[in-house]
Amino acid sequence: MSNANPEDRLRDATRVVRAGLPAASQGAPFLPGPVFAGMYHFSGDPVTSPFTYGRFHNPTWTHYEEALAELEGGPVVAFASGMAALAALFGTALSAGDTLVMPADGYYTGRLLAKGHFASAGIQIREVLTAAPDAGAQLRGAKLLLLETPSNPGLDVCDIAALVRAAREQGVLVAVDNTTPTVLGQRPLALGADYSLASDTKALSGHADLLLGHVACRDAEADQKLRTWRTQMGSIPGPMEVWLAHRSLASLDVRLERMCANALAIARLLADRREVLRVRYPGLPIDSAHAVARRQMSRFGPVVSFELASQAHAERFFRHSKLVSEATSFGSVRTTAERRARWVNDPCPPGFIRLSAGCEDPADLLADLSQTLDAVSRL
């Protein structure tokens, strides 16, 4: 007779609805409300209470971390933002004299953090394009390899399992920024990575109303180091934000299904328009990253990137669209986009646009984009 937990065989749509919920109790809510506490009552010596002080732990964090741990496949530590999570990874995995290999085309604030604070603390930074070959040479002498796949904003993809194998041969740890696909679209720990991290601000929580991040890992010692970092640095998440994210997790499967379907439909439309110089979406069969993405991703994420002829063309795009809101970040139920070159540290062509597909009706989105591109073509 099998000893497997029946819940391990549940499908994603069921797991996200139930993940992290405490055992049912008569008259109690399924998901307890947020706990606001700077201190907890406890007595005795030695300390036996599971909760002592608000910077150390919170029951609301515990429920959310348990929920994500069920999905990630390893213990999870929640942080105040995705950048707080990344800083904790760097701070606990690296020491002075170590070398970090990271994507040259990844999220620019992560690069700024590494090349600023951590480089000044004695960490050597080696930047490599996400789609670059020859992993053996790139990893030589490194301590940690950070991957961001698909990369933000260019949406290049790298083979996680292959890079993990190359890293193991040289004793290098591997972390994957999994923000764009979320844990339902890609499971880095199952592909062999040591860490999986994400900005939960984006598609995981999905409503553009909070800041949050997390790190999952496969090693108990690494998990404890992350918790100690959070406690000592004070990079703790607010209980209300954590509760909202856990509440939103229940709809992740249905949100992501619509968002990914919309993203693919949008990518197909863009690929057929002469106003669009190039389009990237790993779910698009003609995309250069599609073959690798199919091997390791179950969903291709909500983000599509494309390039128009100039800044003026991009600005006309935003003026004429009725359903695409101009905003930074991505992963919301509302379709958003931005011209990335407006951020001076994120070098992109002047007409480059990163679009995040929301949950609107696809026919409405496609009609709006068609009339918008018609307007762009008249410039």
Side-chain angles (χ1 to χ4, degrees):
M1 175 178 285
S2 170
N3 292 321
N5 185 341
E7 293 203 359
D8 292 339
R9 298 190 294 271
L10 296 176
R11 292 174 172 82
D12 284 345
T14 304
R15 295 172 71 211
V16 294
V17 170
R18 306 176 67 87
L21 298 183
S25 177
Q26 186 78 356
F30 292 112
L31 177 62
V35 174
F36 300 102
M39 63 181 77
Y40 305 86
H41 175 76
F42 70 92
S43 59
D45 186 8
V47 174
T48 57
S49 170
F51 302 106
T52 57
Y53 182 59
R55 185 163 41 82
F56 297 170
H57 27 228
N58 181 292
T60 308
W61 303 349
T62 300
H63 291 311
Y64 182 61
E65 289 171 345
E66 288 175 349
L68 290 183
E70 292 178 35
L71 302 171
E72 290 275 13
V76 167
V77 184
F79 291 91
S81 67
M83 284 303 300
L86 184 63
L89 169 68
F90 290 165
T92 56
L94 297 166
S95 301
D98 288 341
T99 295
L100 165 68
V101 181
M102 68 184 306
D105 51 345
Y107 180 47
Y108 77 87
T109 307
R111 301 199 309 273
L112 293 178
L113 174 68
K115 292 189 290 185
H117 175 81
F118 285 95
S120 67
I123 308 300
Q124 305 300 310
I125 311 300
R126 186 181 301 159
E127 293 183 281
V128 181
L129 290 172
T130 295
D134 194 17
Q138 296 156 9
L139 294 174
R140 193 167 297 124
K143 175 67 179 298
L144 175 66
L145 168 63
L146 173 66
L147 307 175
E148 184 182 48
T149 179
S151 61
N152 174 22
L155 300 182
D156 260 326
V157 170
C158 58
D159 189 326
I160 296 173
L163 286 166
V164 165
R165 290 192 295 271
R168 291 286 177 270
E169 293 175 359
Q170 301 197 41
V172 179
L173 297 170
V174 178
V176 178
D177 184 331
N178 203 40
T179 298
T180 302
T182 81
V183 69
L184 290 195
Q186 183 170 261
R187 290 193 167 90
L189 297 187
L191 292 166
D194 300 285
Y195 300 91
S196 172
L197 64 149
S199 170
D200 302 356
T201 305
K202 301 178 175 66
L204 194 70
S205 59
H207 291 78
D209 55 5
L210 58 86
L211 295 178
L212 201 64
H214 79 268
V215 182
C217 57
R218 59 174 63 255
D219 179 75
E221 182 179 356
D223 174 64
Q224 189 54 54
K225 287 181 178 179
L226 288 164
R227 293 182 186 281
T228 300
W229 174 279
R230 180 177 68 182
T231 297
Q232 294 180 351
M233 292 295 181
S235 53
I236 59 173
M240 189 68 197
E241 287 82 356
V242 173
W243 184 86
L244 283 170
H246 196 171
R247 183 279 316 265
S248 300
L249 189 64
S251 65
L252 176 60
D253 178 80
V254 292
R255 284 188 284 108
L256 204 60
E257 181 177 3
R258 171 60 71 87
M259 293 158 75
C260 292
N262 281 349
L264 180 57
I266 289 169
R268 286 173 170 158
L269 171 68
L270 294 171
D272 287 338
R273 295 290 304 217
R274 62 181 179 84
E275 302 85 2
V276 178
L277 304 184
R278 61 186 57 85
V279 58
R280 295 299 309 271
Y281 183 64
L284 198 62
I286 62 172
D287 191 274
S288 59
H290 183 66
V292 176
R294 282 189 63 188
R295 290 201 298 270
Q296 66 190 23
M297 300 178 74
S298 56
R299 311 182 197 206
F300 300 107
V303 180
V304 179
S305 67
F306 62 100
E307 185 181 347
L308 300 176
S310 68
Q311 176 177 343
H313 286 80
E315 290 172 347
R316 189 173 179 88
F317 174 90
F318 289 112
R319 284 198 304 271
H320 284 269
S321 176
K322 305 294 192 299
L323 295 180
V324 179
S325 301
E326 190 174 4
T328 195
S329 196
F330 56 87
S332 169
V333 292
R334 176 192 295 268
T335 295
T336 61
E338 71 171 334
R339 192 180 71 85
R340 288 298 293 175
R342 66 183 180 178
W343 302 102
V344 296
N345 292 303
D346 201 356
C348 296
F352 179 93
I353 292 174
R354 183 187 67 190
L355 183 147
S356 176
C359 292
E360 297 93 343
D361 187 283
D364 292 334
L365 282 176
L366 296 179
D368 179 64
L369 287 169
S370 293
Q371 66 84 23
T372 300
L373 291 170
D374 288 343
V376 169
S377 71
R378 294 193 292 270
L379 186 65

